[in-house]
Amino acid sequence: CANSSRYVWGMEETRAHLGERGRFSHKGSHGKALLIGGSQEMPGSITLTTKAALRGGSGLVTTGTVPQAIPSIAAHCAEATYLSLNADDRGRIVLQDVDVSGYDALAIGMGMGREQATADFTRKLVSEANIPVLVDADGLHHLKQDMRILTQRRHPLILTPHPGEMAMLTDFEVKDIIRRPFAISRHFAIEYGVYLVLKGSFTIVTDPEGNQWVNTSGNAGLAKGGSGDALSGILLAQVMQQQNIQEALSLGCYIHGMSADQQVTSNHSMHDLTASDVIDGLATVFRTLS
Ligand code: APR
Ligand code: MG
């Protein structure tokens, strides 16, 4: 696409776009997030997303998951509220209606598993939700069953694949994604009219017009299960607090990586860093930036 451009997103851009928390702001000013994911066997990822959405600045966070997972998530996140979803006998979300009115944005997909009834649920909710929606992890596999949902949505859709998930979505091989991340992302974002966050050592945010911003923060300590789940929560919090979705996504990717960078030069190392440490590190990130 001749008219789209590539940019670098770093500390200066992040500082320039990070919103202030005004003296008279209230929880409604910072957005009401709905997070949907988890299953009996995978309660951890949605726990991380919930914590990250809270630490990322959301005004209110509601997590919709299977009843079996709620006690363990709630034990880690006292500040969230919970929506108990219908589950099958193995603790996986099944097809049902969820009312998204009253929420400002939805993130879905983390730790859901790939059961068909769960995939049917994700596809229905993503196609009906009239708010910005972020889809990650298993949710990307669910969407792949019907890619028309991507183009039919009238509200912003954000996909956050790692290279393996991007290969699955596009039918390329992972080595192609690694070799041509810009071209493949741009083509995909334009074709489906979505915001694409292609994760990796240099995460690329592409808007629906094909413009691209490369993130400059982060380190190999993030190459560990759970970092992506934390990113989803951070991104959703920013999507609710920023006017511009691309800026929200680039800012979110930057602060996620910046937290990891600060943690490995202070309390932690790339060896031991966990997603929980990245979430804890947001305190220093926000203090440094503001
Ligand atoms: N440098 C900088 N950032 C990195 C690096 C690196 N070397 N490696 C990973 N990251 C960042 C990515 O940019 C992304 O933000 O860490 C995050 C990893 O996200 P995911 O790949 O989604 O990881 P996550 O979902 O937490 O865990 C991997 O995904 O496909 C499944 O089965 C797989 O359980 C595994 C899980
Ligand atoms: Mg992931």
Side-chain angles (χ1 to χ4, degrees):
C1 175
N3 296 321
S4 50
S5 307
R6 285 180 196 169
Y7 308 92
V8 172
W9 188 282
M11 174 86 85
E12 265 177 56
E13 290 74 15
T14 301
R15 219 185 267 280
H17 290 93
L18 186 67
E20 287 188 3
R21 243 172 148 84
R23 176 70 180 82
F24 297 102
S25 82
H26 54 91
K27 59 185 185 287
S29 331
H30 299 284
K32 206 172 165 196
L34 179 61
L35 311 178
I36 292 188
S39 52
Q40 185 176 325
E41 292 179 356
M42 290 184 282
S45 47
I46 189 75
T47 307
L48 291 166
T49 310
T50 304
K51 279 171 61 174
L54 286 161
R55 285 274 187 223
S58 309
L60 286 165
V61 175
T62 298
T63 294
T65 189
V66 299
Q68 297 92 328
I70 292 178
S72 77
I73 306 171
H76 291 95
C77 311
E79 298 85 351
T81 59
Y82 297 89
L83 191 62
S84 187
L85 300 179
N86 299 329
D88 67 13
D89 58 5
R90 293 183 54 191
R92 298 169 300 204
I93 299 171
V94 295
L95 185 60
Q96 62 204 284
D97 287 320
V98 169
D99 183 6
V100 303
S101 60
Y103 296 102
D104 296 302
L106 164 70
I108 184 168
M110 300 66 57
M112 294 176 93
R114 314 239 176 105
E115 187 61 19
Q116 190 54 46
T118 314
D120 294 342
F121 167 75
T122 302
R123 291 201 317 282
K124 178 175 157 64
L125 188 54
V126 172
S127 56
E128 292 173 357
N130 58 355
I131 51 177
V133 174
L134 180 152
V135 184
D136 185 32
D138 292 324
L140 298 168
H141 288 263
H142 304 160
L143 286 188
K144 173 67 175 171
Q145 294 183 358
D146 185 1
M147 296 290 277
R148 287 170 305 179
I149 291 170
L150 279 60
T151 40
Q152 286 166 358
R153 268 185 56 88
R154 293 171 178 278
H155 297 268
L157 181 62
I158 302 149
L159 306 184
T160 62
H162 59 50
E165 289 157 346
M166 190 64 194
M168 177 276 300
L169 286 170
T170 54
D171 299 321
F172 278 109
E173 290 184 31
V174 175
K175 65 172 170 28
D176 301 319
I177 306 294
I178 305 286
R179 200 177 298 145
R180 300 193 298 128
F182 287 97
I184 294 174
S185 297
R186 176 183 288 144
H187 185 267
F188 185 94
I190 293 173
E191 179 175 3
Y192 293 104
V194 298
Y195 291 88
L196 186 75
V197 180
L198 177 57
K199 297 181 289 193
S201 35
F202 291 92
T203 295
I204 303 166
V205 173
T206 307
D207 73 13
E209 288 74 48
N211 302 301
Q212 301 185 297
W213 287 261
V214 193
N215 184 48
T216 53
S217 65
N219 60 73
L222 287 168
K224 200 171 281 172
S227 335
D229 307 312
L231 179 69
S232 293
I234 294 171
L235 294 180
L236 202 72
Q238 288 303 323
V239 163
M240 297 191 302
Q241 296 179 90
Q242 300 278 333
Q243 298 294 322
N244 177 299
I245 294 206
Q246 170 271 316
E247 289 170 4
L249 298 173
S250 295
L251 200 158
C253 289
Y254 190 86
I255 62 176
H256 175 260
M258 181 176 167
S259 177
D261 291 343
Q262 289 188 333
Q263 288 286 39
V264 303
T265 53
S266 53
N267 303 328
H268 292 280
S269 69
M270 287 191 213
H271 299 281
D272 72 278
L273 190 75
T274 64
S276 295
D277 301 325
V278 174
I279 295 166
D280 291 343
L282 290 173
T284 310
V285 166
F286 285 127
R287 287 166 63 100
T288 309
L289 290 170
S290 52

